[in-house]
Amino acid sequence: MLDVLGEKCGIVGVYGNKDLEASRLVLAGLWALQHRGQESSGISASDGNIIRTHTGSGLVAHVYDEKTLDSLPGYIAIGHNRYSTSGGSTAKHNQPVTNSNNAIALGHNGNLPSVVKLQEFLASKKISIEDRNDSELMFDALQYYVSEGSSIEDAVKQAYPLFTGVFCLVVMTVDKLIAIRDEYGIRPLSVGKLQDGYMVASETCALSTVNAIEVRDVKPGEMIVIDESGLRSVQISESKNKLDIFEFVYFARPDSALLGKRVNEVRRNLGKELAKEFKIKADVVIPVPDSAIPAALGYAQASGVPFDHGFIKNRYIHRTFIRPVQKIRENDVHMKLNPLEEVLKGKSVVVIDDSIVRGTTSKKLVDLLRSAGAKEVHMLISSPPIKYPDFYGIDTPDQKDLIASHMSVEEIRDLIDADFLGFLSYEGMIKATGVSEDLFSTSCFTGVYPLDILERMKEIKKV
């Protein structure tokens, strides 16, 4: 997907023995989770006496060097890759969140669609809420309870009812690491075992990067506390597992596992289901790299249409790229993808993508394929039409900007100038996961929001 939906963040936490350089393991995890946020990155580390923090704008490669890591000693550390959360996208809001006391640090993946409850609570305690985003407001609530004498575990229990939304949190004090997940588990969070400690991360691919052995997912509504006594679990609220199915469709890395299923295999299955639903006579099937590659392979395998790479991706263009002059900017898709004429010329092409958001990129993709000589362009999407915005940690546009919310499939096909356009059915998507439908949040496709979005519901028009 190049008509990009942004995932809100990736988080990592490490607790080891006193000789461990935890910040270096966290850094490896952040490298693995770069796809979940490219706006900024940060690490907080504790040596048992003080928490030190470093954050910076840009990619992981831009934010850290040897000198930085040497300034973050300690056996406990948390890390955060950020896409912008509610409340602003300036460097002021980089994470982990800390304050002048350096007694607590917090990293957040997810989104609170409503922060009214938090704001009212903090205002009642005479704590400023000006220019504070959802993550910072959660930190402020925890900080308040700790300042009143609560342990960090009790502070989490007391503040938890104020967190009205989606959150996976890593929280650290000078001597403890805590991982918390909201009661619906809409965003993923997993626990791994290190040789002399533990690691938590948004995805299992970060665990395997440092050879941590995957133990299990953090349960929805669970708080995991890791300290010198080991790991213990506290179930704060009832588990109501509703993992966002879009993690399978697009966001998670293919080598991660969710709900016990390898993401790569699920995406292949999405392609196989597409092949059952759309039998197209074509010469070649190509993916929009990289996220649609497994689905295209699955489609090719099930349909018998040969697979090839029709686009070559420039992997070094990121959000931090300095935008060029207008004439080049208008052709930004061509900057990211270059079509291979020898694969496409004179061919009937099936092009697989994982989703369509606004439709503008899909049109540019079709134009690129035609300019490279494709005789026919059949576009297949390995998920149903996105008709509703997300309030749970995905940076979706307003509903009016989601093309499928106000145009039919045929109207979208006409707009993007494809010879054929097909979306995977909702039933086909669920079947491809091999997981029960009731374990998923499918709000982007159905408009059903399992976790109450409160006053934001007025923004939704049922289609």
mmCIF file of all heavy atoms in Angstrom, residues 352-397:
data_model
loop_
_atom_site.group_PDB
_atom_site.id
_atom_site.type_symbol
_atom_site.label_atom_id
_atom_site.label_comp_id
_atom_site.label_asym_id
_atom_site.label_seq_id
_atom_site.Cartn_x
_atom_site.Cartn_y
_atom_site.Cartn_z
ATOM 1 N N ILE A 352 -1.880 -6.997 -7.680
ATOM 2 C CA ILE A 352 -2.443 -7.220 -6.352
ATOM 3 C C ILE A 352 -1.968 -6.130 -5.397
ATOM 4 O O ILE A 352 -0.773 -5.866 -5.290
ATOM 5 C CB ILE A 352 -2.013 -8.592 -5.781
ATOM 6 C CG1 ILE A 352 -2.313 -9.722 -6.762
ATOM 7 C CG2 ILE A 352 -2.679 -8.841 -4.420
ATOM 8 C CD1 ILE A 352 -3.742 -10.102 -6.913
ATOM 9 N N ASP A 353 -2.904 -5.488 -4.704
ATOM 10 C CA ASP A 353 -2.572 -4.566 -3.623
ATOM 11 C C ASP A 353 -3.395 -4.962 -2.410
ATOM 12 O O ASP A 353 -4.376 -5.709 -2.520
ATOM 13 C CB ASP A 353 -2.857 -3.117 -4.035
ATOM 14 C CG ASP A 353 -2.021 -2.112 -3.246
ATOM 15 O OD1 ASP A 353 -1.312 -2.524 -2.309
ATOM 16 O OD2 ASP A 353 -2.091 -0.910 -3.553
ATOM 17 N N ASP A 354 -2.988 -4.468 -1.224
ATOM 18 C CA ASP A 354 -3.677 -4.902 -0.007
ATOM 19 C C ASP A 354 -4.897 -4.059 0.336
ATOM 20 O O ASP A 354 -5.766 -4.507 1.073
ATOM 21 C CB ASP A 354 -2.718 -4.919 1.195
ATOM 22 C CG ASP A 354 -1.895 -3.663 1.279
ATOM 23 O OD1 ASP A 354 -2.478 -2.594 1.509
ATOM 24 O OD2 ASP A 354 -0.666 -3.741 1.102
ATOM 25 N N SER A 355 -4.983 -2.815 -0.180
ATOM 26 C CA SER A 355 -6.119 -1.963 0.152
ATOM 27 C C SER A 355 -6.115 -0.736 -0.735
ATOM 28 O O SER A 355 -5.114 -0.421 -1.373
ATOM 29 C CB SER A 355 -6.086 -1.548 1.628
ATOM 30 O OG SER A 355 -4.840 -0.980 1.948
ATOM 31 N N ILE A 356 -7.265 -0.079 -0.774
ATOM 32 C CA ILE A 356 -7.376 1.220 -1.430
ATOM 33 C C ILE A 356 -7.939 2.193 -0.407
ATOM 34 O O ILE A 356 -8.953 1.906 0.236
ATOM 35 C CB ILE A 356 -8.289 1.170 -2.675
ATOM 36 C CG1 ILE A 356 -7.642 0.326 -3.777
ATOM 37 C CG2 ILE A 356 -8.562 2.573 -3.199
ATOM 38 C CD1 ILE A 356 -8.481 0.209 -5.046
ATOM 39 N N VAL A 357 -7.271 3.320 -0.238
ATOM 40 C CA VAL A 357 -7.699 4.314 0.745
ATOM 41 C C VAL A 357 -8.421 5.461 0.035
ATOM 42 O O VAL A 357 -9.637 5.501 -0.029
ATOM 43 C CB VAL A 357 -6.502 4.828 1.572
ATOM 44 C CG1 VAL A 357 -6.986 5.767 2.677
ATOM 45 C CG2 VAL A 357 -5.741 3.662 2.182
ATOM 46 N N ARG A 358 -7.662 6.378 -0.545
ATOM 47 C CA ARG A 358 -8.272 7.501 -1.265
ATOM 48 C C ARG A 358 -8.456 7.216 -2.750
ATOM 49 O O ARG A 358 -9.254 7.859 -3.408
ATOM 50 C CB ARG A 358 -7.397 8.752 -1.105
ATOM 51 C CG ARG A 358 -7.283 9.249 0.323
ATOM 52 C CD ARG A 358 -6.315 10.424 0.387
ATOM 53 N NE ARG A 358 -6.180 10.955 1.736
ATOM 54 C CZ ARG A 358 -5.312 10.510 2.626
ATOM 55 N NH1 ARG A 358 -4.505 9.496 2.315
ATOM 56 N NH2 ARG A 358 -5.240 11.037 3.833
ATOM 57 N N GLY A 359 -7.704 6.288 -3.290
ATOM 58 C CA GLY A 359 -7.806 5.943 -4.697
ATOM 59 C C GLY A 359 -6.807 6.646 -5.583
ATOM 60 O O GLY A 359 -6.574 6.219 -6.726
ATOM 61 N N THR A 360 -6.186 7.697 -5.100
ATOM 62 C CA THR A 360 -5.264 8.467 -5.937
ATOM 63 C C THR A 360 -4.037 7.651 -6.323
ATOM 64 O O THR A 360 -3.583 7.695 -7.470
ATOM 65 C CB THR A 360 -4.831 9.752 -5.209
ATOM 66 O OG1 THR A 360 -4.340 9.406 -3.902
ATOM 67 C CG2 THR A 360 -5.998 10.704 -5.050
ATOM 68 N N THR A 361 -3.508 6.896 -5.388
ATOM 69 C CA THR A 361 -2.332 6.083 -5.691
ATOM 70 C C THR A 361 -2.679 4.949 -6.648
ATOM 71 O O THR A 361 -1.895 4.618 -7.542
ATOM 72 C CB THR A 361 -1.721 5.516 -4.399
ATOM 73 O OG1 THR A 361 -1.263 6.599 -3.604
ATOM 74 C CG2 THR A 361 -0.561 4.593 -4.696
ATOM 75 N N SER A 362 -3.842 4.350 -6.477
ATOM 76 C CA SER A 362 -4.248 3.254 -7.367
ATOM 77 C C SER A 362 -4.315 3.737 -8.809
ATOM 78 O O SER A 362 -3.904 3.021 -9.735
ATOM 79 C CB SER A 362 -5.607 2.704 -6.926
ATOM 80 O OG SER A 362 -5.524 2.173 -5.618
ATOM 81 N N LYS A 363 -4.820 4.923 -9.013
ATOM 82 C CA LYS A 363 -4.884 5.472 -10.364
ATOM 83 C C LYS A 363 -3.478 5.656 -10.937
ATOM 84 O O LYS A 363 -3.218 5.331 -12.109
ATOM 85 C CB LYS A 363 -5.634 6.804 -10.374
ATOM 86 C CG LYS A 363 -5.695 7.458 -11.753
ATOM 87 C CD LYS A 363 -6.598 8.654 -11.796
ATOM 88 C CE LYS A 363 -6.524 9.356 -13.155
ATOM 89 N NZ LYS A 363 -6.679 8.435 -14.300
ATOM 90 N N LYS A 364 -2.564 6.154 -10.115
ATOM 91 C CA LYS A 364 -1.186 6.348 -10.579
ATOM 92 C C LYS A 364 -0.520 5.006 -10.900
ATOM 93 O O LYS A 364 0.273 4.907 -11.844
ATOM 94 C CB LYS A 364 -0.387 7.118 -9.534
ATOM 95 C CG LYS A 364 -0.831 8.570 -9.383
ATOM 96 C CD LYS A 364 -0.069 9.275 -8.272
ATOM 97 C CE LYS A 364 -0.543 10.712 -8.108
ATOM 98 N NZ LYS A 364 0.160 11.412 -7.004
ATOM 99 N N LEU A 365 -0.839 3.979 -10.117
ATOM 100 C CA LEU A 365 -0.286 2.652 -10.386
ATOM 101 C C LEU A 365 -0.762 2.122 -11.729
ATOM 102 O O LEU A 365 0.017 1.579 -12.519
ATOM 103 C CB LEU A 365 -0.673 1.681 -9.275
ATOM 104 C CG LEU A 365 -0.016 1.874 -7.914
ATOM 105 C CD1 LEU A 365 -0.664 0.961 -6.877
ATOM 106 C CD2 LEU A 365 1.476 1.617 -7.980
ATOM 107 N N VAL A 366 -2.063 2.282 -11.991
ATOM 108 C CA VAL A 366 -2.612 1.828 -13.276
ATOM 109 C C VAL A 366 -1.968 2.612 -14.419
ATOM 110 O O VAL A 366 -1.592 2.033 -15.455
ATOM 111 C CB VAL A 366 -4.148 1.986 -13.291
ATOM 112 C CG1 VAL A 366 -4.700 1.663 -14.686
ATOM 113 C CG2 VAL A 366 -4.786 1.066 -12.252
ATOM 114 N N ASP A 367 -1.820 3.912 -14.241
ATOM 115 C CA ASP A 367 -1.172 4.729 -15.271
ATOM 116 C C ASP A 367 0.260 4.263 -15.543
ATOM 117 O O ASP A 367 0.701 4.207 -16.707
ATOM 118 C CB ASP A 367 -1.155 6.201 -14.849
ATOM 119 C CG ASP A 367 -2.536 6.843 -14.876
ATOM 120 O OD1 ASP A 367 -3.460 6.245 -15.484
ATOM 121 O OD2 ASP A 367 -2.703 7.921 -14.280
ATOM 122 N N LEU A 368 0.996 3.932 -14.463
ATOM 123 C CA LEU A 368 2.366 3.436 -14.627
ATOM 124 C C LEU A 368 2.389 2.140 -15.433
ATOM 125 O O LEU A 368 3.238 1.951 -16.313
ATOM 126 C CB LEU A 368 3.013 3.203 -13.261
ATOM 127 C CG LEU A 368 3.630 4.393 -12.530
ATOM 128 C CD1 LEU A 368 4.187 3.944 -11.187
ATOM 129 C CD2 LEU A 368 4.734 5.030 -13.368
ATOM 130 N N LEU A 369 1.460 1.237 -15.128
ATOM 131 C CA LEU A 369 1.423 -0.046 -15.833
ATOM 132 C C LEU A 369 1.086 0.153 -17.306
ATOM 133 O O LEU A 369 1.679 -0.478 -18.187
ATOM 134 C CB LEU A 369 0.392 -0.968 -15.164
ATOM 135 C CG LEU A 369 0.759 -1.441 -13.752
ATOM 136 C CD1 LEU A 369 -0.422 -2.146 -13.097
ATOM 137 C CD2 LEU A 369 1.966 -2.362 -13.787
ATOM 138 N N ARG A 370 0.171 1.051 -17.578
ATOM 139 C CA ARG A 370 -0.180 1.303 -18.986
ATOM 140 C C ARG A 370 0.981 1.974 -19.722
ATOM 141 O O ARG A 370 1.263 1.654 -20.884
ATOM 142 C CB ARG A 370 -1.439 2.161 -19.064
ATOM 143 C CG ARG A 370 -2.695 1.459 -18.540
ATOM 144 C CD ARG A 370 -3.960 2.107 -19.068
ATOM 145 N NE ARG A 370 -5.163 1.574 -18.438
ATOM 146 C CZ ARG A 370 -5.717 0.395 -18.731
ATOM 147 N NH1 ARG A 370 -5.164 -0.390 -19.649
ATOM 148 N NH2 ARG A 370 -6.819 0.000 -18.118
ATOM 149 N N SER A 371 1.669 2.882 -19.050
ATOM 150 C CA SER A 371 2.798 3.556 -19.693
ATOM 151 C C SER A 371 3.931 2.583 -19.993
ATOM 152 O O SER A 371 4.751 2.823 -20.892
ATOM 153 C CB SER A 371 3.314 4.693 -18.806
ATOM 154 O OG SER A 371 3.950 4.185 -17.634
ATOM 155 N N ALA A 372 3.986 1.480 -19.240
ATOM 156 C CA ALA A 372 5.007 0.454 -19.481
ATOM 157 C C ALA A 372 4.551 -0.569 -20.515
ATOM 158 O O ALA A 372 5.247 -1.549 -20.759
ATOM 159 C CB ALA A 372 5.351 -0.251 -18.170
ATOM 160 N N GLY A 373 3.357 -0.347 -21.085
ATOM 161 C CA GLY A 373 2.903 -1.195 -22.182
ATOM 162 C C GLY A 373 1.927 -2.290 -21.823
ATOM 163 O O GLY A 373 1.625 -3.154 -22.659
ATOM 164 N N ALA A 374 1.424 -2.321 -20.578
ATOM 165 C CA ALA A 374 0.445 -3.347 -20.207
ATOM 166 C C ALA A 374 -0.792 -3.244 -21.100
ATOM 167 O O ALA A 374 -1.330 -2.152 -21.311
ATOM 168 C CB ALA A 374 0.048 -3.195 -18.743
ATOM 169 N N LYS A 375 -1.230 -4.362 -21.637
ATOM 170 C CA LYS A 375 -2.392 -4.391 -22.536
ATOM 171 C C LYS A 375 -3.691 -4.268 -21.757
ATOM 172 O O LYS A 375 -4.603 -3.546 -22.157
ATOM 173 C CB LYS A 375 -2.373 -5.694 -23.342
ATOM 174 C CG LYS A 375 -3.515 -5.844 -24.327
ATOM 175 C CD LYS A 375 -3.337 -7.104 -25.171
ATOM 176 C CE LYS A 375 -3.441 -8.364 -24.300
ATOM 177 N NZ LYS A 375 -3.376 -9.602 -25.114
ATOM 178 N N GLU A 376 -3.768 -4.977 -20.622
ATOM 179 C CA GLU A 376 -4.925 -4.907 -19.728
ATOM 180 C C GLU A 376 -4.416 -4.843 -18.293
ATOM 181 O O GLU A 376 -3.414 -5.478 -17.963
ATOM 182 C CB GLU A 376 -5.833 -6.137 -19.880
ATOM 183 C CG GLU A 376 -6.490 -6.285 -21.233
ATOM 184 C CD GLU A 376 -7.307 -7.564 -21.331
ATOM 185 O OE1 GLU A 376 -7.093 -8.487 -20.488
ATOM 186 O OE2 GLU A 376 -8.132 -7.669 -22.239
ATOM 187 N N VAL A 377 -5.146 -4.098 -17.449
ATOM 188 C CA VAL A 377 -4.777 -3.990 -16.039
ATOM 189 C C VAL A 377 -5.984 -4.388 -15.184
ATOM 190 O O VAL A 377 -7.008 -3.693 -15.171
ATOM 191 C CB VAL A 377 -4.325 -2.566 -15.663
ATOM 192 C CG1 VAL A 377 -3.992 -2.500 -14.174
ATOM 193 C CG2 VAL A 377 -3.126 -2.146 -16.500
ATOM 194 N N HIS A 378 -5.845 -5.510 -14.510
ATOM 195 C CA HIS A 378 -6.882 -6.009 -13.599
ATOM 196 C C HIS A 378 -6.357 -5.833 -12.178
ATOM 197 O O HIS A 378 -5.383 -6.483 -11.798
ATOM 198 C CB HIS A 378 -7.179 -7.478 -13.871
ATOM 199 C CG HIS A 378 -7.518 -7.773 -15.307
ATOM 200 N ND1 HIS A 378 -8.790 -7.659 -15.812
ATOM 201 C CD2 HIS A 378 -6.724 -8.158 -16.346
ATOM 202 C CE1 HIS A 378 -8.791 -7.978 -17.097
ATOM 203 N NE2 HIS A 378 -7.540 -8.286 -17.447
ATOM 204 N N MET A 379 -6.984 -4.977 -11.415
ATOM 205 C CA MET A 379 -6.512 -4.726 -10.045
ATOM 206 C C MET A 379 -7.373 -5.500 -9.056
ATOM 207 O O MET A 379 -8.600 -5.395 -9.060
ATOM 208 C CB MET A 379 -6.542 -3.231 -9.710
ATOM 209 C CG MET A 379 -6.072 -2.933 -8.296
ATOM 210 S SD MET A 379 -5.764 -1.170 -7.979
ATOM 211 C CE MET A 379 -4.102 -1.011 -8.638
ATOM 212 N N LEU A 380 -6.701 -6.283 -8.212
ATOM 213 C CA LEU A 380 -7.372 -7.041 -7.159
ATOM 214 C C LEU A 380 -6.835 -6.598 -5.810
ATOM 215 O O LEU A 380 -5.618 -6.434 -5.643
ATOM 216 C CB LEU A 380 -7.164 -8.542 -7.338
ATOM 217 C CG LEU A 380 -7.748 -9.161 -8.608
ATOM 218 C CD1 LEU A 380 -7.464 -10.655 -8.649
ATOM 219 C CD2 LEU A 380 -9.245 -8.899 -8.713
ATOM 220 N N ILE A 381 -7.732 -6.438 -4.848
ATOM 221 C CA ILE A 381 -7.386 -5.947 -3.514
ATOM 222 C C ILE A 381 -7.628 -7.063 -2.504
ATOM 223 O O ILE A 381 -8.724 -7.639 -2.451
ATOM 224 C CB ILE A 381 -8.235 -4.707 -3.147
ATOM 225 C CG1 ILE A 381 -8.135 -3.648 -4.254
ATOM 226 C CG2 ILE A 381 -7.800 -4.158 -1.801
ATOM 227 C CD1 ILE A 381 -6.744 -3.141 -4.533
ATOM 228 N N SER A 382 -6.607 -7.353 -1.687
ATOM 229 C CA SER A 382 -6.678 -8.518 -0.788
ATOM 230 C C SER A 382 -7.384 -8.218 0.528
ATOM 231 O O SER A 382 -7.126 -8.851 1.554
ATOM 232 C CB SER A 382 -5.270 -9.064 -0.518
ATOM 233 O OG SER A 382 -4.455 -8.090 0.104
ATOM 234 N N SER A 383 -8.295 -7.258 0.507
ATOM 235 C CA SER A 383 -9.162 -6.961 1.650
ATOM 236 C C SER A 383 -10.434 -6.325 1.120
ATOM 237 O O SER A 383 -10.466 -5.876 -0.041
ATOM 238 C CB SER A 383 -8.466 -6.010 2.637
ATOM 239 O OG SER A 383 -8.227 -4.754 2.034
ATOM 240 N N PRO A 384 -11.477 -6.239 1.923
ATOM 241 C CA PRO A 384 -12.709 -5.577 1.481
ATOM 242 C C PRO A 384 -12.511 -4.063 1.397
ATOM 243 O O PRO A 384 -11.494 -3.525 1.857
ATOM 244 C CB PRO A 384 -13.715 -5.932 2.594
ATOM 245 C CG PRO A 384 -13.115 -7.081 3.337
ATOM 246 C CD PRO A 384 -11.631 -6.888 3.232
ATOM 247 N N PRO A 385 -13.472 -3.343 0.824
ATOM 248 C CA PRO A 385 -13.370 -1.879 0.766
ATOM 249 C C PRO A 385 -13.321 -1.254 2.157
ATOM 250 O O PRO A 385 -14.095 -1.640 3.046
ATOM 251 C CB PRO A 385 -14.646 -1.466 0.025
ATOM 252 C CG PRO A 385 -15.064 -2.683 -0.747
ATOM 253 C CD PRO A 385 -14.665 -3.850 0.100
ATOM 254 N N ILE A 386 -12.421 -0.285 2.350
ATOM 255 C CA ILE A 386 -12.334 0.457 3.609
ATOM 256 C C ILE A 386 -13.359 1.583 3.565
ATOM 257 O O ILE A 386 -13.213 2.543 2.812
ATOM 258 C CB ILE A 386 -10.927 1.036 3.823
ATOM 259 C CG1 ILE A 386 -9.891 -0.085 3.874
ATOM 260 C CG2 ILE A 386 -10.864 1.882 5.093
ATOM 261 C CD1 ILE A 386 -8.465 0.416 3.929
ATOM 262 N N LYS A 387 -14.395 1.468 4.391
ATOM 263 C CA LYS A 387 -15.503 2.429 4.364
ATOM 264 C C LYS A 387 -15.575 3.306 5.608
ATOM 265 O O LYS A 387 -16.329 4.286 5.623
ATOM 266 C CB LYS A 387 -16.827 1.673 4.207
ATOM 267 C CG LYS A 387 -16.946 0.894 2.905
ATOM 268 C CD LYS A 387 -18.287 0.192 2.801
ATOM 269 C CE LYS A 387 -18.421 -0.533 1.465
ATOM 270 N NZ LYS A 387 -19.740 -1.211 1.329
ATOM 271 N N TYR A 388 -14.812 2.944 6.628
ATOM 272 C CA TYR A 388 -14.923 3.644 7.908
ATOM 273 C C TYR A 388 -13.535 3.987 8.454
ATOM 274 O O TYR A 388 -12.597 3.216 8.294
ATOM 275 C CB TYR A 388 -15.676 2.778 8.926
ATOM 276 C CG TYR A 388 -17.064 2.414 8.470
ATOM 277 C CD1 TYR A 388 -17.298 1.227 7.779
ATOM 278 C CD2 TYR A 388 -18.139 3.269 8.707
ATOM 279 C CE1 TYR A 388 -18.565 0.885 7.340
ATOM 280 C CE2 TYR A 388 -19.411 2.937 8.275
ATOM 281 C CZ TYR A 388 -19.623 1.751 7.590
ATOM 282 O OH TYR A 388 -20.888 1.431 7.148
ATOM 283 N N PRO A 389 -13.412 5.128 9.109
ATOM 284 C CA PRO A 389 -12.116 5.505 9.707
ATOM 285 C C PRO A 389 -11.808 4.677 10.937
ATOM 286 O O PRO A 389 -12.710 4.090 11.547
ATOM 287 C CB PRO A 389 -12.308 6.983 10.067
ATOM 288 C CG PRO A 389 -13.779 7.133 10.256
ATOM 289 C CD PRO A 389 -14.432 6.166 9.309
ATOM 290 N N ASP A 390 -10.555 4.637 11.272
ATOM 291 C CA ASP A 390 -10.111 3.921 12.463
ATOM 292 C C ASP A 390 -9.869 4.921 13.594
ATOM 293 O O ASP A 390 -9.394 6.019 13.367
ATOM 294 C CB ASP A 390 -8.814 3.168 12.172
ATOM 295 C CG ASP A 390 -8.315 2.392 13.369
ATOM 296 O OD1 ASP A 390 -8.729 1.236 13.523
ATOM 297 O OD2 ASP A 390 -7.519 2.941 14.147
ATOM 298 N N PHE A 391 -10.228 4.519 14.793
ATOM 299 C CA PHE A 391 -9.984 5.352 15.974
ATOM 300 C C PHE A 391 -9.090 4.637 16.983
ATOM 301 O O PHE A 391 -8.983 5.052 18.125
ATOM 302 C CB PHE A 391 -11.310 5.729 16.640
ATOM 303 C CG PHE A 391 -12.189 6.580 15.778
ATOM 304 C CD1 PHE A 391 -13.160 6.005 14.976
ATOM 305 C CD2 PHE A 391 -12.046 7.957 15.750
ATOM 306 C CE1 PHE A 391 -13.975 6.791 14.174
ATOM 307 C CE2 PHE A 391 -12.849 8.753 14.951
ATOM 308 C CZ PHE A 391 -13.811 8.169 14.169
ATOM 309 N N TYR A 392 -8.464 3.557 16.533
ATOM 310 C CA TYR A 392 -7.760 2.670 17.449
ATOM 311 C C TYR A 392 -6.246 2.646 17.244
ATOM 312 O O TYR A 392 -5.571 1.784 17.752
ATOM 313 C CB TYR A 392 -8.299 1.248 17.298
ATOM 314 C CG TYR A 392 -9.750 1.069 17.677
ATOM 315 C CD1 TYR A 392 -10.496 0.045 17.112
ATOM 316 C CD2 TYR A 392 -10.382 1.904 18.605
ATOM 317 C CE1 TYR A 392 -11.831 -0.158 17.460
ATOM 318 C CE2 TYR A 392 -11.709 1.720 18.946
ATOM 319 C CZ TYR A 392 -12.427 0.685 18.370
ATOM 320 O OH TYR A 392 -13.747 0.492 18.715
ATOM 321 N N GLY A 393 -5.719 3.591 16.472
ATOM 322 C CA GLY A 393 -4.270 3.621 16.315
ATOM 323 C C GLY A 393 -3.781 3.596 14.889
ATOM 324 O O GLY A 393 -2.591 3.501 14.647
ATOM 325 N N ILE A 394 -4.704 3.664 13.919
ATOM 326 C CA ILE A 394 -4.320 3.765 12.519
ATOM 327 C C ILE A 394 -4.657 5.168 12.058
ATOM 328 O O ILE A 394 -5.729 5.694 12.339
ATOM 329 C CB ILE A 394 -5.059 2.734 11.635
ATOM 330 C CG1 ILE A 394 -4.780 1.308 12.109
ATOM 331 C CG2 ILE A 394 -4.638 2.886 10.179
ATOM 332 C CD1 ILE A 394 -5.561 0.255 11.350
ATOM 333 N N ASP A 395 -3.747 5.752 11.320
ATOM 334 C CA ASP A 395 -3.919 7.128 10.867
ATOM 335 C C ASP A 395 -4.752 7.158 9.588
ATOM 336 O O ASP A 395 -4.261 7.445 8.500
ATOM 337 C CB ASP A 395 -2.544 7.757 10.629
ATOM 338 C CG ASP A 395 -2.644 9.205 10.204
ATOM 339 O OD1 ASP A 395 -3.615 9.872 10.601
ATOM 340 O OD2 ASP A 395 -1.752 9.661 9.466
ATOM 341 N N THR A 396 -6.051 6.829 9.685
ATOM 342 C CA THR A 396 -6.930 6.883 8.521
ATOM 343 C C THR A 396 -7.429 8.298 8.295
ATOM 344 O O THR A 396 -7.548 9.084 9.228
ATOM 345 C CB THR A 396 -8.147 5.956 8.704
ATOM 346 O OG1 THR A 396 -8.741 6.204 9.979
ATOM 347 C CG2 THR A 396 -7.758 4.507 8.598
ATOM 348 N N PRO A 397 -7.787 8.622 7.048
ATOM 349 C CA PRO A 397 -8.392 9.925 6.781
ATOM 350 C C PRO A 397 -9.805 10.003 7.357
ATOM 351 O O PRO A 397 -10.358 9.006 7.836
ATOM 352 C CB PRO A 397 -8.431 9.980 5.243
ATOM 353 C CG PRO A 397 -7.619 8.839 4.751
ATOM 354 C CD PRO A 397 -7.611 7.816 5.840
#
